[in-house]
Amino acid sequence: MHFKNISIRWKLFILVSLVMLSITAIYLISLKFAHDDLIESQKTIIKSVVDSAASQLKPILSSDNHTLSDEEKISHIRQLVQTLRYGENNYLFAYDLAGMNIAHPVLSSIDGQDTRHLKDQNNNDIMQPIRQGIIQQGELYWTYYWPKKEGAEPSEKLSYAKLIPGTDLIIGSGIHLEEIQQLYVTHSITFTLLATFFGLLTYLIASRIANSITAPTARLVTQIEQLTSGHLTEEITDAERQDEIGSIAKALVHFRQQTIENKNLKQTSLQEKHLAKYDPVTQLLSRKALENELNLILASLPSGERSAVLAIKLPLLRDILSRWGSDYCNLILIDICDRIKKTLGVNDLLARYSDDTIMLIRPELSDTREINILINAIQTAIMQPAQIEGQQLSFQSRVGVSIAPVDGTQELQLFGHAEEALSEARRLELDYMFFDQLKTFALDERLILWKDIQQALEEDQFYLVFQPLHDLHTNKIISAEVLLRWEHPERGFISPATFVVFAEQSGLVTRLDNWVLKAAAKQINEWREANIEVPQLAVNLSGLTFMRSDLNQLIQEATAEYGFPLTALELELTEGVLIASIETLQEKIQTIQEMGISISIDDFGTGYSSLSRIRNLQINKIKIDRSFIQDLENNQSDKKIIEAIILMAQGLDVKVVAEGVETPEQLNILRAMNCDIAQGFLLSKPLKKEKLIQLLENQNLIIEVD
């Protein structure tokens, strides 16, 4: 066993135990010496008594003493023996060298008797050793068994005897050893009590000393463990002591102070680095950090790939800052940023660029349509009403977009171009604008188109056309998609690809959606009043309008005056809407369907949704994008994709619509795949309302392919 592996407490316990064992050993040895000393002291007493008696008898028994007869001398001896007693049971006795008892005060029966035959209880001679020892030495100590009084049991006795010089008289005395033992026991008890007292006192003092070492040592160990675990607020005790433990505690206090200082320095350094990289309010990337990140992205951007930079402006924030202060403004900004984050991809980077501008980088961009969908999702998230400190607020935003490397190959250039596009979008009151639009779309033309759309809405220059959807199982028209057209009084027909896209960018799309809803409701009412049975009408709705919190109110206002059942309507949504959270979509779709309106997803399969998301939504139809149909006769991959979509959708009890059917071969393949519904120029182009009625009245106009 190595003492270095034993705790201080156990070392002190071992030390105290060794001390106590040493004290006990010394005590036992001292008892042995005390016993021997007691016997020696008794021997001295016996000898002094015998010597005193011998000195008294010597002149009487001297041969020169002729005044006393032998009888008188013996009488004197007996008188002295009878009268000279000491202790409780101690006495003198006298014998002559021949072994004759002269005087014995206890056993008178042996007076004048020959004692040479006396034996003790062990059958040992009693007087023979005396005679022999005295003859040889003149005096003798010996032990034997002898009764204390006549008739008593013999007990061990220690005696001393000597020959009175010039005589044949042996004078002696003794003490029973049990009397010495009683005295020894008495002394032993006294010594034991004293030893126990001082032993306990020693133990208590040693324990106190040990505890004064182990207790603070244990506290210091605990405090050291706490400090090494990072609990720097742990109080260091015992630093006021003046011993070695106090020195250790003082050193530990110094160590803690240094550790706290080092930690503060480290935290300060980390905070400085964090503040250099992140905005302290929103915890988004800082402007400088975003510039560094974009620089890295541009440096590693593969040839032919693109990245997008979006500048997102929240104009109302500055007004809130000036009116309610920075704290309230920060709460709003944090809430908006949290909502924006939910619309982003895992690789997107979001940063606070200024007080009311957020900058977004999408490192990998497939096409600009992806950006349109992303902006739609972001602006939808921003405009959702928020409750902040009892205030319900709803925000509009403007977005400027630049694309790398088309619009620039350096980070500051791309940021600047995104801000230029943002400024132009704000000036024209557009929802968003791409930088390349500044080059391809003249400013005057944008202003004119923006004014013309608003005027067209006010003057009802728009009109509806209807493209039928055919049930491939019954060959009947089951619904018609409502399409918006614009005949400008001066410029003539303007393509929807121009004005619808511009409306989405300029913030006019919700007004367009509202106009279409009202026009569709009005048309349904006209047909019903004319007793014309019309199919369900599917109205295209932008994602921005669909995600409005007041969508159900907007629909009710558009249809309330006509009083027809809303089952006659279907809302057709682009699949970009599916980017929103499942919980939000479920709530919106459930609200619409509770009104009786069915839901279909347009352009399905272009990469922004999946059947795994459709599975969690109560969708009625999905419309396979025309890009999968246009080369269906030759592209086996498209066939497999469409077949998989049909099988899975029907398993979810969702109807499948094939868009853009233009050839009999395409229709044949879709029938073979058990597709539910078809739509396309092969079956019917978009029709004005009169032509649609004619087609409904003559269902045989539907083309059948064998």
Side-chain angles (χ1 to χ4, degrees):
M1 178 186 295
H2 296 287
F3 279 103
K4 66 181 180 180
N5 298 326
I6 301 175
S7 67
I8 294 176
R9 181 179 294 276
W10 276 103
K11 287 177 182 176
L12 291 173
F13 176 77
I14 292 172
L15 178 62
V16 172
S17 299
L18 289 174
V19 171
M20 296 304 296
L21 286 174
S22 299
I23 292 173
T24 303
I26 293 171
Y27 168 68
L28 293 176
I29 293 172
S30 67
L31 283 180
K32 176 66 170 60
F33 287 147
H35 183 269
D36 294 342
D37 290 343
L38 186 60
I39 291 177
E40 291 298 324
S41 68
Q42 292 300 318
K43 284 182 177 181
T44 301
I45 292 171
I46 295 170
K47 185 175 183 301
S48 65
V49 170
V50 171
D51 288 343
S52 175
S55 64
Q56 293 181 45
L57 292 175
K58 183 177 180 181
I60 296 173
L61 300 176
S62 174
S63 58
D64 297 333
N65 186 358
H66 300 290
T67 58
L68 296 174
S69 64
D70 291 339
E71 288 80 7
E72 289 175 333
K73 291 180 180 179
I74 291 172
S75 176
H76 275 289
I77 294 170
R78 287 177 176 170
Q79 183 179 3
L80 179 64
V81 169
Q82 289 292 339
T83 56
L84 187 58
R85 292 192 177 216
Y86 61 96
E88 184 177 352
N89 298 307
N90 300 329
Y91 52 87
L92 292 169
F93 54 84
Y95 296 87
D96 60 18
L97 285 174
M100 296 297 293
N101 178 266
I102 303 300
H104 197 290
V106 176
L107 295 179
S108 58
S109 59
I110 64 172
D111 284 347
Q113 300 293 321
D114 185 358
T115 60
R116 288 177 295 176
H117 65 281
L118 288 177
K119 296 182 182 294
D120 61 16
Q121 64 181 23
N122 295 325
N123 203 30
N124 295 322
D125 289 329
I126 297 175
M127 297 306 298
Q128 279 302 110
I130 299 175
R131 292 177 63 249
Q132 293 175 359
I134 289 176
I135 291 171
Q136 295 174 2
Q137 303 171 14
E139 61 180 358
L140 178 70
Y141 286 100
W142 85 104
T143 58
Y144 57 96
Y145 285 87
W146 192 263
K148 289 184 178 182
K149 58 183 178 179
E150 196 165 1
E153 287 291 326
S155 62
E156 189 173 16
K157 188 172 183 179
L158 171 67
S159 293
Y160 171 78
K162 68 180 291 185
L163 179 66
I164 299 175
T167 69
D168 64 350
L169 184 66
I170 300 171
I171 187 74
S173 182
I175 184 170
H176 286 274
L177 290 179
E178 64 181 20
E179 295 179 7
I180 298 176
Q181 194 66 27
Q182 290 175 356
L183 185 60
Y184 171 72
V185 169
T186 301
H187 289 175
S188 297
I189 291 173
T190 302
F191 291 155
T192 300
L193 291 174
L194 289 173
T196 301
F197 171 75
F198 286 108
L200 288 174
L201 184 61
T202 302
Y203 178 79
L204 290 174
I205 294 172
S207 297
R208 183 70 180 271
I209 294 172
N211 191 60
S212 71
I213 297 172
T214 58
T217 302
R219 286 196 296 271
L220 286 175
V221 169
T222 301
Q223 291 159 10
I224 290 171
E225 290 175 347
Q226 290 292 319
L227 289 179
T228 55
S229 299
H231 298 87
L232 299 181
T233 58
E234 181 73 16
E235 182 182 358
I236 307 301
T237 58
D238 304 301
E240 72 283 355
R241 294 171 62 124
Q242 301 302 316
D243 57 2
E244 291 82 354
I245 291 175
S247 299
I248 296 173
K250 291 183 182 72
L252 193 59
V253 170
H254 182 64
F255 169 77
R256 185 187 67 172
Q257 291 172 343
Q258 285 189 327
T259 304
I260 291 173
E261 290 175 2
N262 291 338
K263 184 177 180 181
N264 290 337
L265 287 173
K266 184 178 180 180
Q267 286 179 340
T268 301
S269 176
L270 291 174
Q271 286 175 354
E272 289 176 354
K273 291 180 180 178
H274 184 83
L275 290 174
K277 188 171 183 180
Y278 296 99
D279 173 60
V281 175
T282 61
Q283 296 304 307
L284 301 179
L285 289 172
S286 67
R287 180 170 181 162
K288 182 64 178 176
L290 189 69
E291 291 175 358
N292 294 335
E293 292 291 338
L294 182 55
N295 188 34
L296 294 173
I297 291 170
L298 295 174
S300 59
L301 190 65
S303 177
E305 298 295 326
R306 293 183 295 172
S307 297
V309 176
L310 283 70
I312 306 167
K313 190 82 168 180
L314 303 168
L316 190 58
L317 277 183
R318 288 189 181 274
D319 296 332
I320 292 173
L321 178 63
S322 61
R323 181 174 179 182
W324 285 299
S326 60
D327 291 341
Y328 192 74
C329 184
N330 289 340
L331 287 175
I332 295 171
L333 183 59
I334 291 170
D335 179 67
I336 290 174
C337 290
D338 288 342
R339 282 186 273 160
I340 291 175
K341 288 176 185 176
K342 296 177 182 178
T343 69
L344 304 182
V346 293
N347 296 321
D348 292 341
L349 299 175
L350 196 64
R352 187 176 184 183
Y353 201 69
S354 65
D355 289 341
D356 60 352
T357 303
I358 298 167
M359 199 70 75
L360 170 65
I361 297 175
R362 172 152 287 187
E364 299 176 359
L365 180 65
S366 58
D367 55 37
T368 53
R369 187 167 180 268
E370 178 183 339
I371 293 299
N372 292 333
I373 294 172
L374 176 61
I375 293 173
N376 180 54
I378 290 173
Q379 293 187 322
T380 299
I382 291 173
M383 72 178 295
Q384 295 300 309
Q387 285 284 345
I388 300 178
E389 293 191 353
Q391 296 281 345
Q392 181 166 325
L393 301 171
S394 182
F395 286 82
Q396 296 292 330
S397 60
R398 310 290 181 188
V399 180
V401 184
S402 62
I403 306 295
V406 178
D407 298 331
T409 56
Q410 296 180 351
E411 66 275 8
L412 295 179
Q413 186 180 26
L414 289 165
F415 287 142
H417 288 168
E419 288 186 286
E420 285 184 49
L422 172 62
S423 297
E424 192 62 20
R426 292 184 63 199
R427 196 175 71 82
L428 296 176
E429 298 185 5
L430 304 179
D431 284 347
Y432 61 91
M433 177 168 282
F434 288 80
F435 178 73
D436 64 351
Q437 290 177 310
L438 299 179
K439 299 177 291 182
T440 60
F441 194 19
L443 175 60
D444 291 340
E445 291 183 12
R446 291 198 302 273
L447 287 172
I448 292 170
L449 184 58
W450 182 66
K451 293 178 181 178
D452 284 351
I453 290 176
Q454 295 187 75
Q455 186 175 355
L457 287 169
E458 294 171 0
E459 297 178 359
D460 282 339
Q461 294 177 11
F462 296 106
Y463 63 92
L464 302 181
V465 294
F466 309 89
Q467 185 172 27
L469 278 71
H470 297 75
D471 188 323
L472 294 184
H473 304 296
T474 64
N475 288 337
K476 298 295 184 181
I477 297 174
I478 59 171
S479 63
E481 181 179 0
V482 176
L483 301 172
L484 184 62
R485 296 292 184 262
W486 183 15
E487 189 76 30
H488 192 279
E490 297 175 1
R491 300 166 61 188
F493 180 78
I494 298 178
S495 170
T498 298
F499 73 82
V500 172
V501 172
F502 184 82
E504 289 175 347
Q505 296 174 352
S506 62
L508 297 172
V509 68
T510 298
R511 291 184 63 186
L512 274 183
D513 287 339
N514 190 37
W515 189 93
V516 172
L517 273 173
K518 288 183 177 180
K522 181 179 179 181
Q523 185 60 69
I524 291 172
N525 187 62
E526 287 180 3
W527 285 333
R528 286 172 59 85
E529 288 182 348
N531 293 321
I532 299 173
E533 292 187 10
V534 293
Q536 187 182 54
L537 294 187
V539 177
N540 287 283
L541 205 64
S542 70
L544 194 63
T545 303
F546 180 74
M547 295 306 293
R548 286 174 63 101
S549 59
D550 60 347
L551 175 61
N552 56 340
Q553 181 180 350
L554 186 148
I555 293 173
Q556 288 172 352
E557 289 177 354
T559 60
E561 64 177 292
Y562 303 116
F564 62 86
L566 295 184
T567 52
L569 279 177
E570 179 178 79
L571 294 186
E572 204 168 286
L573 310 172
T574 59
E575 67 169 351
V577 172
L578 300 180
I579 291 178
S581 70
I582 287 292
E583 293 78 8
T584 302
L585 286 172
Q586 285 175 334
E587 182 180 349
K588 296 291 290 185
I589 290 173
Q590 182 179 353
T591 300
I592 297 303
Q593 290 187 334
E594 286 175 355
M595 298 172 68
I597 302 173
S598 57
I599 301 288
S600 67
I601 301 298
D602 197 9
D603 302 331
F604 186 83
T606 53
Y608 305 103
S609 64
S610 66
L611 284 168
S612 62
R613 289 180 68 82
I614 297 293
R615 179 183 60 188
N616 298 311
L617 303 171
Q618 297 299 316
I619 300 298
N620 303 101
K621 297 187 186 77
I622 57 174
K623 301 180 73 174
I624 301 174
D625 188 73
R626 66 182 65 249
S627 62
F628 293 100
I629 308 298
Q630 61 188 8
D631 196 25
L632 187 58
E633 305 95 316
N634 305 312
N635 193 319
Q636 292 299 318
S637 297
D638 287 347
K639 285 183 181 179
K640 291 179 180 179
I641 291 172
I642 293 173
E643 188 171 16
I645 291 174
I646 291 172
L647 288 173
M648 288 188 288
Q650 290 178 345
L652 296 172
D653 197 24
V654 175
K655 297 292 184 181
V656 179
V657 181
E659 292 185 288
V661 179
E662 297 182 358
T663 68
E665 290 79 7
Q666 293 170 358
L667 189 60
N668 257 343
I669 295 171
L670 291 169
R671 285 184 187 276
M673 290 180 179
N674 202 28
C675 181
D676 299 303
I677 303 166
Q679 176 185 6
F681 283 4
L682 175 65
L683 301 174
S684 176
K685 294 182 178 181
L687 305 172
K688 290 187 177 182
K689 57 183 180 180
E690 297 83 4
K691 296 292 184 181
L692 177 63
I693 297 303
Q694 291 179 14
L695 184 60
L696 289 172
E697 291 175 349
N698 185 5
Q699 293 283 327
N700 293 328
L701 291 176
I702 296 176
I703 298 175
E704 296 185 19
V705 180
D706 297 324

